[in-house]
Amino acid sequence: MDRSIEYILEVARCGGISKAARNLFITPSALSKFVIQKEEDLGVQIFHREGNKFTLTYPGERYVEMLKELRDKRQSIRIEMARLADMYSGRLRVGFQMSLAEFVTKRIVPELQDQCPQIRLFMEEASTSELWRLLKTNQLDLILALSQKRDDGLCYELITESPVVLAAAQGSPLEKAAVRKDGYSYPWIPDEVLFSEKLILDKGERNIRKYASYILSRDAKLRRSEITVTNARTALFCVEQDLGIIALPELQVRALHFEDRVRLYSFGPEEMKASLHVVWDPRSSLSTEISEFTRIVRTCLQ
């Protein structure tokens, strides 16, 4: 950052010269001289001085606002230039949920390397919310995610829809209570049985709470007895040990290879669906690479 921005912003943030100078690793006298010189250059007083306390004047407030805008704009320029540099160097930055890591690395990546050997692939595993942040700040070119979230400023290519299911331990009480019901992919669990079970939540994925919202809204006791973990794989290990149940897309269960280790059930007044999308910024110049990636993902799921 340009020191004329950094120095003034730090004095304004700290409300004084001494602390700001320590944070900036310069002497207080040097920083004080810099501020005085800047005020002379601008022709206005930026700070009121009351002993060691510095407070912004009205011109100072406007000046600091503009410095922050300039700092943010420079940061945007650096990010955009880095993104363009990646594009022209043949780099494709792909983000995906942790539960999809094996599917991406074992099936998609080999096919992508075979079909597009010129692409240098960069991969990022993260939660859904973090993936969206990285995509919207141009730190990723595309993401592959199971989510119900939509953003009008982004492009979405639907790959497949997956029923949201309950995963429970083999031999749990749910097995005897489950019944076949039209419109559901798996045996359906009556509410009175469902609400008596302990619930496992995935702290890393906000979507998991959305999938479980029907259960959470009906029985407050579950909030006190739930187990919270940081990823879907650990949650399914807990399910396998009969420590509770979890609501999540069937595709995640299969991607993590737990389909033969737990039992899957349907629940709720209607079957919920989770959508697997490839998502990207429409301003991207990597349309050919994104199209090829999307085609390969769809082929790998057939």
Side-chain angles (χ1 to χ4, degrees):
M1 186 189 300
D2 184 280
R3 71 172 188 171
S4 64
I5 297 177
E6 183 180 8
Y7 286 7
I8 297 297
L9 291 182
E10 190 62 20
V11 174
R13 189 182 73 82
C14 294
I17 291 291
S18 297
K19 183 178 179 180
R22 287 197 302 271
N23 294 342
L24 294 167
F25 301 102
I26 63 173
T27 64
S29 61
L31 182 57
S32 180
K33 289 177 182 178
F34 176 84
V35 172
I36 292 170
Q37 184 62 52
K38 180 58 63 177
E39 289 178 326
E40 290 179 358
D41 293 343
L42 294 172
V44 295
Q45 186 177 355
I46 301 174
F47 296 101
H48 292 298
R49 278 81 162 171
E50 299 176 12
N52 294 326
K53 184 178 180 182
F54 278 48
T55 57
L56 290 168
T57 63
Y58 175 70
E61 290 177 357
R62 292 290 299 122
Y63 184 55
V64 165
E65 287 175 5
M66 289 185 284
L67 286 182
K68 288 180 179 178
E69 291 174 0
L70 180 58
R71 177 196 60 189
D72 294 344
K73 177 60 69 175
R74 288 182 175 180
Q75 177 65 14
S76 296
I77 290 172
R78 283 194 293 271
I79 291 173
E80 180 67 11
M81 292 302 101
R83 184 177 73 89
L84 291 173
D86 286 338
M87 288 178 182
Y88 286 105
S89 65
R91 188 179 186 185
L92 183 66
R93 301 166 301 173
V94 177
F96 48 86
Q97 293 157 315
M98 297 176 191
S99 59
L100 298 177
E102 187 172 347
F103 169 66
V104 171
T105 56
K106 284 190 174 182
R107 301 184 65 182
I108 297 174
V109 172
E111 186 69 19
L112 186 67
Q113 289 181 329
D114 182 58
Q115 298 293 325
C116 305
Q118 76 281 5
I119 292 178
R120 295 188 302 113
L121 196 63
F122 171 82
M123 296 186 289
E124 178 86 28
E125 296 176 67
S127 65
T128 306
S129 57
E130 178 65 4
L131 290 175
W132 252 263
R133 186 190 70 80
L134 293 171
L135 181 63
K136 295 181 75 172
T137 55
N138 295 320
Q139 297 179 65
L140 289 175
D141 298 310
L142 64 86
I143 62 176
L144 177 67
L146 274 161
S147 177
Q148 297 171 308
K149 181 177 179 178
R150 296 290 298 223
D151 188 310
D152 291 338
L154 300 173
C155 294
Y156 291 76
E157 182 71 26
L158 177 64
I159 303 300
T160 189
E161 287 191 325
S162 175
V164 175
V165 296
L166 280 177
Q170 297 184 12
S172 76
L174 274 66
E175 195 167 330
K176 292 183 179 179
V179 296
R180 284 290 177 183
K181 197 171 183 180
D182 290 341
Y184 293 87
S185 301
Y186 289 90
W188 182 80
I189 302 298
D191 286 355
E192 62 271 16
V193 178
L194 174 63
F195 297 141
S196 67
E197 293 290 315
K198 292 182 180 180
L199 186 64
I200 298 170
L201 293 175
D202 180 353
K203 182 181 179 182
E205 287 291 345
R206 293 181 181 177
N207 286 323
I208 298 296
R209 280 196 177 271
K210 291 181 181 179
Y211 301 147
S213 60
Y214 176 70
I215 308 172
L216 290 169
S217 66
R218 294 291 298 271
D219 193 344
K221 292 180 180 179
L222 284 173
R223 292 186 176 88
R224 295 194 297 270
S225 62
E226 69 186 23
I227 296 174
T228 300
V229 297
T230 57
N231 59 76
R233 183 185 295 275
T234 301
L236 287 168
F237 276 124
C238 291
V239 169
E240 188 178 23
Q241 298 303 313
D242 202 15
L243 299 178
I245 61 174
I246 186 171
L248 76 174
E250 175 201 41
L251 183 59
Q252 278 186 302
V253 180
R254 297 189 180 281
L256 293 168
H257 304 296
F258 273 84
E259 64 270 28
D260 296 325
R261 299 165 63 176
V262 298
R263 289 283 185 265
L264 302 182
Y265 302 97
S266 296
F267 68 100
E270 60 182 9
E271 186 167 78
M272 192 185 309
K273 298 282 188 179
S275 300
L276 179 67
H277 285 101
V278 172
V279 189
W280 70 94
D281 190 317
R283 296 170 296 179
S284 174
S285 63
L286 296 173
S287 57
T288 301
E289 291 84 352
I290 291 171
S291 295
E292 187 63 16
F293 180 90
T294 303
R295 182 193 68 78
I296 289 171
V297 173
R298 184 171 283 112
T299 299
C300 289
L301 280 171
Q302 289 178 350

